[in-house]
Amino acid sequence: MLKKVEKIEVFNQIVIWYHKHIIHFMFFFIITGLPILSDKFKFLAYIFGIPVSFLGNINTSAEILSVGIQVARIFHRVTALFFILTTIPFVIVMLKDIKSWHIWPEKWGIKAIFNGIGDLYKTYIKFEHPEIGKYNMGQKLFAWFIIVAMIMMTISGWILAFRDSYSESMWQWARGVHAIFFVFIIFFLIIHIYIGTHPLNRCGLKAIFRTGEADLEHLKEKHPRWYKKLMK
């Protein structure tokens, strides 16, 4: 029956909805987290502190910076709350189809790892179309990294938000974990944005932000293994 249609759903509406909101959350996480993470981004704290300075008797740069950090921390925690409230229904829906997730390894072993690395080289260096499924090894690893990172950020963020309920060694550990994963997330997001917006991935970009669909011919060319499974 698939042969009679030209398009097929590659991302359902819940995935599209969540992906769009993740972008909003990441934006606020980054601009509010950077001034908390490092003094090199204290200009962001000033931006947050200046509007508040007009409301109170705050005049010196040190006071504006201090207030700005507090405002950034409040916005950071509010964003985290909305992120959790958005993630819970998404996870519930996705867990129902956990066996059909495309981020599971299709093959195991050393040979599969080297084949996956070779597929990445062919895809992103030689711009060829190797025999891959819906996602290549790099995309699967990125998905698992995001899952682990979000879990660790949530746990460490909870400890930091309620640090009075935990020992100093515990919240110091949480602060280190939070900072490390924050930096890694920014790094991998830059790579993800570059690859995702590359002209070669225009069809996937349109699918994740608009239609949720892709041409069967596109899948046949760039995701031959997945295409063969669909045709069965």
Side-chain angles (χ1 to χ4, degrees):
M1 184 175 181
L2 288 175
K3 295 181 179 180
K4 298 180 180 180
V5 300
E6 297 181 354
K7 295 181 181 294
I8 188 171
E9 183 183 78
V10 293
F11 301 113
N12 58 35
Q13 290 303 310
I14 186 69
V15 172
I16 296 174
W17 172 80
Y18 187 71
H19 187 269
K20 289 180 179 179
H21 284 297
I22 280 293
I23 295 175
H24 305 148
F25 293 138
M26 286 301 169
F27 173 77
F28 283 105
F29 277 141
I30 291 172
I31 65 171
T32 59
L34 286 175
I36 301 174
L37 178 67
S38 173
D39 290 338
K40 294 181 179 180
F41 300 95
K42 62 182 180 181
F43 68 92
L44 290 172
Y46 278 114
I47 294 175
F48 289 120
I50 289 175
V52 180
S53 67
F54 292 121
L55 302 176
N57 188 21
I58 302 173
N59 301 312
T60 67
S61 297
E63 290 176 328
I64 295 175
L65 178 61
S66 178
V67 171
I69 291 293
Q70 295 302 319
V71 172
R73 185 172 286 112
I74 292 172
F75 275 108
H76 200 76
R77 292 177 179 178
V78 171
T79 303
L81 174 61
F82 280 104
F83 165 75
I84 293 173
L85 293 177
T86 304
T87 300
I88 290 175
F90 173 76
V91 171
I92 293 174
V93 172
M94 296 301 293
L95 283 177
K96 293 191 300 182
D97 299 318
I98 189 171
K99 292 183 179 180
S100 63
W101 288 4
H102 290 272
I103 59 176
W104 301 109
E106 297 178 28
K107 295 182 179 180
W108 299 85
I110 300 298
K111 183 178 180 181
I113 294 176
F114 280 102
N115 287 339
I117 296 174
D119 290 340
L120 292 177
Y121 175 77
K122 293 177 183 178
T123 301
Y124 299 117
I125 303 299
K126 300 181 70 175
F127 299 105
E128 296 178 355
H129 306 306
E131 188 79 10
I132 61 173
K134 185 175 183 179
Y135 302 122
N136 58 43
M137 187 178 74
Q139 292 170 317
K140 292 179 180 180
L141 289 175
F142 176 75
W144 281 111
F145 164 76
I146 289 297
I147 291 173
V148 173
M150 290 304 180
I151 292 174
M152 295 304 298
M153 292 291 280
T154 302
I155 294 173
S156 58
W158 178 274
I159 295 173
L160 291 173
F162 302 98
R163 63 176 62 190
D164 293 339
S165 301
Y166 299 91
S167 64
E168 181 178 353
S169 60
M170 178 63 76
W171 65 257
Q172 288 285 6
W173 169 85
R175 185 167 64 178
V177 169
H178 211 72
I180 291 171
F181 274 100
F182 183 70
V183 172
F184 275 114
I185 287 174
I186 293 177
F187 174 75
F188 284 114
L189 277 180
I190 293 173
I191 297 176
H192 178 67
I193 292 172
Y194 169 74
I195 295 176
T197 56
H198 195 281
L200 291 175
N201 296 317
R202 189 169 298 168
C203 183
L205 187 67
K206 182 180 179 181
I208 193 62
F209 281 106
R210 294 178 59 189
T211 63
E213 298 178 331
D215 295 336
L216 278 178
E217 286 300 316
H218 170 81
L219 300 185
K220 183 178 180 179
E221 178 183 5
K222 293 190 175 182
H223 306 271
R225 186 179 298 166
W226 187 31
Y227 174 81
K228 291 177 182 178
K229 289 183 178 180
L230 292 173
M231 296 309 292
K232 291 180 181 179

